Amino acid sequence: MNETNRNMILAIVLSVVVIFGWQFFVAGPQLERAQRQAQIAAEQAAAANPGIATTTTTPSAPASGTATTPAETPATDTPVSFADRASAIAATSRVAIDTPAVVGSINLRGGRLDDLQLKKYTETIAKDSPIITLLSPSGAPNAYYVEQGWAAANGTTQVPDATTVWTVEGDAKLTPTTPVVLSWNNGNGLVFRRTFAVDENYLFTVTQSIENSSGSDVALFPYSRIVREGTPHVSNFFVQHEGPLGVLGSNNLVSKKYSDMQNDKQIRLDNTTGWLGFGDKYWATAVIADPTQQINAQFTYLRNNNRDEYQTSFVETNPIVVATGGTAEDHSYVFAGAKEEAVIATYESSLKLDRLELLIDWGWFHFLTKPMFYLLRFLNGILGNFGLAMLALTVIVKLVFFPLANRSYASMAAMRRVQPEMKSIQERFKEDRAGQQQAMMELYKREKINPLAGCWPILVQIPVFFALYTVIFISLEMRHAPFFGWIQDLAAQDPTNVFTLFGLIPWNPTSLPLVGSLLHLGIWPLIMGVTMWVQMRLNPPPPDPTQAMIFNWMPVIFTFMLGSFPAGLVIYWSWNNFLSICQQYFIMKRHGADVDLFGNILTSLGLRKTPKPTT
């Protein structure tokens, strides 16, 4: 396989992968989601009580009070709509939360954690940008909250629900050093307490306790859940999952798209262990059971008050039986915050949690992605800039694969040396394919050339390329990380645009229908396109017009496609192209190949005639 054919095949494969990926992972799911939403809306309109969310009735316990029948979480309340988040927060009494990492409040109505913002992260790089809002109360736009509770085994015990107003005991502010205790008396001999504790990062410990002076034993199932009202906007990019997910014992990682949930309605996994919640690109929430407890886990989609509602929840498989005159308690955890790898790893090891690291989607090549991330973080500690760390990481990867690249380019050089002989064989055996193949094999054997040697090193490097690509795309550390010049956020697209003459024309071409998404083309995407084009010019223009057309258009297509990509990815790709140009040029020259880069560029631009093949 000569270098021209190999490069043509790779170019075609990349084009097909990109086009198919866009259709399959972006355009297709968007159309499918719209169709499903329309179907679900029609079904809900035909239901008898379209405005009330319900779940399966909790099974009754045996009279002995030793019920072991699994229960389900009760239904959420019908929310009241508020114009904005601030109005929803002001409508109820609350207990403040203040830690080095988060600020917010606990809603005394329902005892919910439904107001949380992340102190260390802002929405944009502007100095006056608000901090990230993670949780919001029910009824507010994009409501997102966590709650715990009890499900009565016999269906008659009065337990606190979403409308219960709790009383604060002692400290009225939750900090890392001052837990908050909420209490509620059902008036029939049961006193419920809910204690919230929080560390300096993103972990809440929730302890639910019961005092029983009712005169009879009671059996209750503890539960925890996260509710998300409305379908959130997601990147819908194939390298990272955004949506419901969890690690549930032998079921391993369970991850669902929001569109999957609309179709499935409910997924239930009984008699398991672990955690479940929601993952966004940089943030996540999870309710985490005590590792020693068996749970029934559920992923649920509801249509509540004409709005989408998603739930991830668990209820303990076996009830807690509280003898009369006795007390009992249950522990669980809530993670709500940024997907900081070091913080999540600490929780996993210290609390013996099952694969909590999978809150971060490390991708298909996680065995490569994670080491690359650790190296990137280490290099940033030395260089003080994630952009420079990324460039240094690319150099290290190039050095690791230098022997393979050397073999690949040496093979290309050898193929180029015998190119005249190959052309001669093709002419002599034009009508005899079998004879042509035999003559080619004899030529390869005589010159000690392996025609596949140039392909295998590239194939080996593909997983490494995608792993590095994934690290750059998902890393929280890249978000709002500055590079140099006009790039002040490696996770955002290049802010410059050639179609506005780099800001001189006051209009937004991306708002145009159909083609608008392609009309953001900054300086770094242009640099990437030029370096890609120059790299292809290392080889003479192919004599076949179709191949030449593919080579000429590939850099243009990729330039426009990467125009809206995060700047960090585009800078990485440009730098990788530049290193590849230098590497290929010097290796091929060292092996005696005549690399006429400047001449090939002139030929491609039509400033020099294509030389005739030597026969």
Side-chain angles (χ1 to χ4, degrees), residues 314-577:
F314 70 79
V315 57
E316 292 188 10
T317 304
N318 300 312
I320 291 179
V321 179
V322 190
T324 182
T327 61
E329 65 181 25
D330 178 78
H331 302 277
S332 64
Y333 306 96
V334 175
F335 175 89
K339 297 196 302 191
E340 298 176 9
E341 189 278 335
V343 172
I344 293 173
T346 299
Y347 293 151
E348 180 178 318
S349 60
S350 62
L351 299 175
K352 311 299 182 186
L353 303 178
D354 186 12
R355 292 165 285 179
L356 190 64
E357 63 170 354
L358 295 182
L359 277 172
I360 303 173
D361 186 359
W362 295 106
W364 301 330
F365 302 106
H366 56 88
F367 52 91
L368 295 173
T369 307
K370 290 190 70 175
M372 284 188 178
F373 168 77
Y374 295 143
L375 180 56
L376 182 67
R377 189 169 61 187
F378 172 76
L379 292 171
N380 177 66
I382 296 175
L383 300 173
N385 183 288
F386 268 105
L388 293 177
M390 178 186 64
L391 301 184
L393 176 60
T394 309
V395 173
I396 292 173
V397 171
K398 285 287 186 182
L399 291 175
V400 169
F401 282 96
F402 181 81
L404 288 174
N406 185 64
R407 185 179 305 174
S408 174
Y409 296 138
S411 176
M412 292 172 65
M415 292 289 287
R416 174 166 294 185
R417 285 198 307 270
V418 299
Q419 195 76 16
E421 262 189 274
M422 292 172 63
K423 293 292 184 182
S424 177
I425 290 173
Q426 291 171 356
E427 290 294 326
R428 283 190 290 116
F429 295 94
K430 186 178 296 184
E431 306 298 331
D432 183 7
R433 296 299 298 274
Q436 183 183 121
Q437 291 296 326
Q438 183 178 355
M440 287 287 190
M441 294 306 297
E442 290 175 356
L443 173 63
Y444 294 152
K445 184 176 181 180
R446 184 176 71 249
E447 297 294 334
K448 298 180 180 180
I449 295 173
N450 180 358
L452 297 178
C455 297
W456 286 112
I458 294 177
L459 293 177
V460 172
Q461 292 181 66
I462 288 176
V464 177
F465 168 81
F466 277 108
L468 184 56
Y469 180 88
T470 301
V471 169
I472 296 172
F473 187 84
I474 71 169
S475 293
L476 175 64
E477 286 76 5
M478 286 286 186
R479 183 181 186 271
H480 292 180
F483 186 51
F484 295 103
W486 65 94
I487 302 298
Q488 295 300 309
D489 184 357
L490 289 168
Q493 62 187 18
D494 188 325
T496 61
N497 191 350
V498 66
F499 294 107
T500 65
L501 294 183
F502 306 107
L504 295 178
I505 303 176
W507 76 300
N508 181 17
T510 61
S511 62
L512 294 176
L514 299 180
V515 297
S517 60
L518 298 175
L519 298 183
H520 187 98
L521 198 58
I523 295 174
W524 271 107
L526 289 174
I527 294 173
M528 187 284 304
V530 170
T531 56
M532 186 176 184
W533 184 81
V534 171
Q535 185 180 7
M536 289 184 173
R537 302 286 80 76
L538 282 171
N539 300 310
D544 181 72
T546 302
Q547 294 181 8
M549 182 183 68
I550 291 174
F551 279 140
N552 288 333
W553 280 103
M554 279 296 295
V556 176
I557 293 171
F558 272 78
T559 298
F560 277 92
M561 289 186 59
L562 266 68
S564 60
F565 274 39
L569 290 176
V570 183
I571 293 171
Y572 152 72
W573 206 316
S574 304
W575 176 240
N576 185 69
N577 287 344

Side-chain angles (χ1 to χ4, degrees), residues 231-371:
T231 303
H233 171 75
V234 297
S235 301
N236 213 10
F237 208 62
F238 72 97
V239 299
Q240 184 183 45
H241 172 74
E242 294 179 77
L245 80 164
V247 171
L248 299 167
S250 60
N251 299 289
N252 298 311
L253 175 66
V254 180
S255 59
K256 294 290 179 180
K257 295 181 180 180
Y258 291 103
S259 56
D260 293 336
M261 291 306 306
Q262 293 175 8
N263 184 57
D264 296 333
K265 300 295 192 296
Q266 186 178 86
I267 299 171
R268 178 164 172 164
L269 301 167
D270 288 350
N271 302 311
T272 185
T273 57
W275 57 268
L276 67 169
F278 294 92
D280 297 329
K281 183 173 184 178
Y282 298 119
W283 334 112
T285 57
V287 284
I288 308 167
D290 187 307
T292 63
Q293 296 297 324
Q294 288 282 313
I295 61 173
N296 301 333
Q298 286 186 173
F299 296 86
T300 307
Y301 168 78
L302 300 164
R303 187 70 177 173
N304 193 3
N305 271 10
N306 202 33
R307 76 180 78 187
D308 297 326
E309 182 177 295
Y310 305 88
Q311 296 185 25
T312 56
S313 62
F314 70 79
V315 57
E316 292 188 10
T317 304
N318 300 312
I320 291 179
V321 179
V322 190
T324 182
T327 61
E329 65 181 25
D330 178 78
H331 302 277
S332 64
Y333 306 96
V334 175
F335 175 89
K339 297 196 302 191
E340 298 176 9
E341 189 278 335
V343 172
I344 293 173
T346 299
Y347 293 151
E348 180 178 318
S349 60
S350 62
L351 299 175
K352 311 299 182 186
L353 303 178
D354 186 12
R355 292 165 285 179
L356 190 64
E357 63 170 354
L358 295 182
L359 277 172
I360 303 173
D361 186 359
W362 295 106
W364 301 330
F365 302 106
H366 56 88
F367 52 91
L368 295 173
T369 307
K370 290 190 70 175

Side-chain angles (χ1 to χ4, degrees), residues 63-237:
S64 62
T66 58
T68 58
T69 305
E72 295 191 9
T73 55
T76 55
D77 60 327
T78 302
V80 177
S81 294
F82 294 92
D84 51 44
R85 183 174 183 273
S87 299
I89 293 173
T92 55
S93 300
R94 295 179 169 273
V95 174
I97 302 171
D98 193 10
T99 79
V102 300
V103 64
S105 61
I106 299 170
N107 192 345
L108 293 182
R109 185 179 186 272
R112 290 172 173 171
L113 177 60
D114 66 357
D115 169 27
L116 200 67
Q117 294 179 294
L118 309 183
K119 285 184 174 180
K120 296 189 292 183
Y121 301 95
T122 56
E123 293 182 3
T124 68
I125 60 175
K127 293 182 178 180
D128 58 348
S129 174
I131 59 177
I132 289 294
T133 294
L134 185 62
L135 302 181
S136 294
S138 179
N142 304 313
Y144 188 11
Y145 57 89
V146 185
E147 69 177 10
Q148 287 75 29
W150 300 93
N154 59 17
T156 60
T157 303
Q158 187 180 6
V159 295
D161 58 23
T163 63
T164 299
V165 178
W166 293 73
T167 301
V168 182
E169 294 183 354
D171 291 313
K173 186 176 184 179
L174 178 60
T175 70
T177 58
T178 56
V180 163
V181 181
L182 310 182
S183 64
W184 179 73
N185 190 327
N186 75 348
N188 294 309
L190 294 180
V191 177
F192 296 86
R193 287 186 173 84
R194 190 172 296 167
T195 302
F196 290 87
V198 64
D199 69 355
E200 294 190 350
N201 291 300
Y202 310 114
L203 190 72
F204 294 81
T205 302
V206 183
T207 303
Q208 297 192 91
S209 64
I210 311 167
E211 291 181 10
N212 182 10
S213 58
S214 65
S216 61
D217 298 352
V218 295
L220 301 173
F221 295 91
Y223 71 84
S224 294
R225 70 174 156 208
I226 305 172
V227 179
R228 200 158 195 175
E229 297 175 7
T231 303
H233 171 75
V234 297
S235 301
N236 213 10
F237 208 62

